[in-house]
């Protein structure tokens, strides 16, 4: 029996996925959590074999949770199951130690098969996302430009961002201008949206 943990902040999604997976004779959902910072403790408490993590959760996002889990309990495999089919998320999830990355509209039979393959030590990646990830390449943003866009995501002013990051307003403007140019955006808001879509702003 392969013991599973489901981590998703949407209870209805978790419940539906649990019902589908529990119908398989060799799979058993033994734990469900709604926050990324509850993953490691739940995996340890229930001796989980495969953790299915959503990307966007409170506490810790799925990528950060996968990184913590890989560091604390490397025996447990991680399969990212998410609505956000973005190549940048895929790259970061795999770098964080995930063994697979599939989207939530994957048919139930394929989801169950993905769990089994990940449990066996294989990698499972949505083929369309894999192709998109290769085409996009790595983030063009520097670490500081990433910090500035991450802070700008909340909609604050240049002064707010400067205060948040302990930088001068002029420095913030320079980083924003550079990030806008590198993403091919026309505005700060568009640069943030493009960086989010590509998964460049995840911790």
């Amino acid at each position: 029996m392969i013991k599973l943990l489901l981590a998703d902040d949407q209870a209805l999604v978790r419940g539906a996925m649990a019902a589908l997976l529990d119908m398989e004779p060799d799979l058993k959902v033994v734990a469900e959590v709604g926050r990324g910072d509850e993953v490691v403790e739940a995996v340890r408490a229930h001796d989980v074999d495969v953790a299915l993590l959503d990307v966007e959760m409170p506490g810790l996002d799925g990528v950060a949770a996968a990184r913590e889990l890989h560091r604390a309990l490397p025996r447990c495999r991680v399969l990212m199951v998410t609505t956000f089919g973005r190549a940048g998320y895929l790259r970061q999830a795999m770098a964080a130690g995930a063994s697979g990355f599939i989207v939530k509209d994957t048919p139930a039979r394929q989801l169950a098969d993905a769990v089994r393959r990940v449990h066996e030590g294989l990698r499972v990646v949505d083929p369309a996302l894999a192709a998109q990830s290769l085409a996009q390449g790595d983030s063009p943003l520097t670490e500081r430009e990433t910090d500035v866009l991450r802070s700008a995501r909340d909609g604050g002013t240049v002064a707010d961002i400067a205060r948040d990051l302990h930088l001068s307003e002029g420095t913030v403007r320079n980083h924003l201008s550079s990030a806008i140019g590198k993403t091919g955006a026309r505005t700060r808001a568009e640069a943030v949206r493009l960086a989010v879509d590509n998964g460049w702003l995840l911790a």
Side-chain angles (χ1 to χ4, degrees), residues 20 33-34 39 63 69 73-74 80 100 102 108 110-112 117 131 136 140 156 167 169 174 187 200 203:
L20 288 170
V33 297
V39 168
V63 172
L69 183 56
L73 299 163
M80 307 299 293
I102 60 176
Q110 289 181 27
L111 174 61
R117 289 167 64 194
Q136 283 183 349
L167 298 172
E169 292 184 24
N174 288 339
T187 65
W200 296 336

Side-chain angles (χ1 to χ4, degrees), residues 1 37 40 47-48 57 63 71 75 78 90 100 103-104 110-111 123-124 131 135 141 143 154 160 179 181 194 201:
M1 185 68 69
D37 53 5
V40 172
D47 193 26
V48 171
M57 292 185 287
V63 172
R71 189 180 302 123
R75 185 192 69 79
V78 173
L90 165 62
V103 291
K104 284 181 180 174
Q110 289 181 27
L111 174 61
R123 286 193 178 273
V124 180
L141 303 171
E143 183 177 351
D154 298 328
D160 293 332
L194 289 168
L201 300 189

